[in-house]
Amino acid sequence: MREEEKSEMEKFIARFQKVQKVNRVIIALALIIMIAVVFLQTFCRFVIFQSLTWSEELSRYLFVVVIVLGINLAATDKLFVRIEIIDGYLGKGARFVLDVIRKLVAMYVSAVFVYSGFQLVRIGSYQISPAMSVPMSLLYATILLGFVLNFIALYIDAYQHFTKEGE
């Protein structure tokens, strides 16, 4: 690979790492808000004896945000579940092939979710959430964004893995 192309990719990776830092903050805020909403609902239900109509829906949406945006952090930090014993029995070449297959399958699944996410956003523009009356396309856009970020994280992981193997 030419030095100019390598330099561009390194700049892209640096920008993506900044996006990941913002993503970590968003996930932390969503988790804190989710905990606060669940605590508030519990307090209202058992102390005031009045239920909040929107708390369950908001906590469910925040849970989806945490999960979907957190998937790409797992890909970035290489935290996906894998069976190490299989890798231990394989030789270096077979491990490399298995790793290629894993990365390609993960990228394919992310691409399918990106495509489906576009469809969900389009459909969601006609729907309003029942309790909070927000467009469902906002939640679906989060799913789309999470899998776009996941695809990018997997692509960067594959790039780094294969350029390291090639050196």
Side-chain angles (χ1 to χ4, degrees):
M1 182 178 264
R2 293 187 346 217
E3 282 299 315
E4 183 180 303
E5 290 173 359
K6 226 175 194 180
S7 175
E8 288 298 318
M9 189 62 178
E10 296 304 322
K11 287 178 187 176
F12 178 74
I13 292 171
R15 285 190 297 264
F16 185 71
Q17 288 172 343
K18 289 178 185 176
V19 169
Q20 291 292 64
K21 286 181 183 178
V22 172
N23 191 23
R24 289 177 198 274
V25 171
I26 292 170
I27 291 170
L29 288 174
L31 191 58
I32 290 168
I33 294 169
M34 184 175 64
I35 291 168
V37 167
V38 170
F39 177 78
L40 180 63
Q41 171 65 356
T42 305
F43 177 79
C44 288
R45 183 172 286 167
F46 294 109
V47 176
I48 303 174
F49 302 108
Q50 292 286 326
S51 234
L52 301 173
T53 58
W54 49 269
S55 66
E56 182 182 342
E57 189 172 286
L58 179 60
S59 62
R60 185 173 45 245
Y61 294 162
L62 290 171
F63 184 69
V64 169
V65 167
V66 168
I67 297 300
V68 171
L69 293 181
I71 288 171
N72 72 82
L73 294 179
T76 300
D77 297 339
K78 297 170 184 56
L79 297 175
F80 283 133
V81 175
R82 61 195 285 170
I83 302 171
E84 294 290 329
I85 196 164
I86 293 173
D87 292 348
Y89 283 116
L90 298 175
K92 186 175 180 179
R95 259 196 317 259
F96 180 79
V97 170
L98 182 61
D99 203 33
V100 168
I101 292 170
R102 284 179 184 146
K103 290 177 190 326
L104 289 175
V105 167
M107 289 174 76
Y108 175 75
V109 169
S110 291
V112 167
F113 273 98
V114 167
Y115 175 77
S116 300
F118 275 116
Q119 303 304 320
L120 283 173
V121 170
R122 195 177 51 134
I123 292 168
S125 63
Y126 300 110
Q127 298 174 335
I128 301 290
S129 68
M132 296 176 18
S133 298
V134 295
M136 290 300 292
S137 58
L138 289 176
L139 178 66
Y140 296 148
T142 305
I143 294 170
L144 173 65
L145 175 65
F147 281 99
V148 166
L149 291 174
N150 190 48
F151 186 86
I152 294 170
L154 291 166
Y155 176 78
I156 288 172
D157 180 42
Y159 168 81
Q160 290 173 334
H161 180 79
F162 296 128
T163 54
K164 182 176 66 175
E165 289 288 326
E167 292 175 351

